[in-house]
Amino acid sequence: MDTTAKKDVLLICGSLRERSLNRQMGAYAAQQLAGAARTRWLDYADLPYMDQDAEFPTPAAVQRVRDEVLAADALWVFSPEYNHGIPGVLKNCLDWLSRPLEPGSQATAVKGKLTLYSCAGGGAKARYCAADLAETLSFMQVDLIETMHAQIALDRQDYTTDVLTMSSAEEAALRTQAQMLLDRLA
């Protein structure tokens, strides 16, 4: 077995906006992993609403997303805060990922999956979303990397220009998370 093979990190953005500030934060984090891990973004915009009546047979979009998650060595979630919580599109994706792969099974696409998260939003640094993510991901039984998760404060300029600006401390927090992820993947 080649132990020098690069690991795959699947990036998940809680916003579907093309110029999402959280996607920009994720791009910065991906730069910190460059050369040591392969990164790609999960496209989940086409997921249907979670509905147990439509769970089996598994809808094609859900199967595609699960397959991408199963193929990844780790997940890194980047999320804004919507109304003091996880954005609905991200919560829907997480709900699908938490469901059994087969009827009656306890296996899911994320159970035991190495995972971490970072959030950017407002002056409160998306603290409610971060708390919700910690609770939700733990309940989903992922292998959550315990750390001070990077939380980025956004100001009016970030929102009006659609350009993320981070302090040196915020950049350092993302670099620390990236290194912790790489250490766990080693």
Side-chain angles (χ1 to χ4, degrees), residues 134-160:
E135 178 69 25
T136 300
L137 293 170
S138 292
F139 185 80
M140 292 169 61
Q141 298 179 15
V142 303
D143 180 4
L144 190 60
I145 295 177
E146 296 297 330
T147 180
M148 289 300 295
H149 301 279
Q151 291 176 242
I152 309 301
L154 300 176
D155 62 21
R156 185 172 305 250
Q157 181 177 339
D158 293 317
Y159 289 116
T160 58

Side-chain angles (χ1 to χ4, degrees), residues 72-86:
D73 296 299
L75 308 175
W76 195 340
V77 179
F78 300 89
S79 186
E81 180 174 288
Y82 290 179
N83 299 311
H84 279 203
I86 299 171

Side-chain angles (χ1 to χ4, degrees), residues 65-67 69-70 97-99 101 107-111 113:
V65 165
R66 285 179 177 167
D67 289 345
V69 168
L70 287 165
L97 292 172
S98 74
R99 300 298 300 160
L101 297 174
T108 72
V110 294
K111 192 172 188 176
K113 184 70 66 175

Side-chain angles (χ1 to χ4, degrees), residues 6 27-39 178 182:
K6 290 184 184 176
Y28 178 85
Q31 289 174 353
Q32 307 315 302
L33 299 173
R38 289 183 297 271
T39 60
L182 291 173

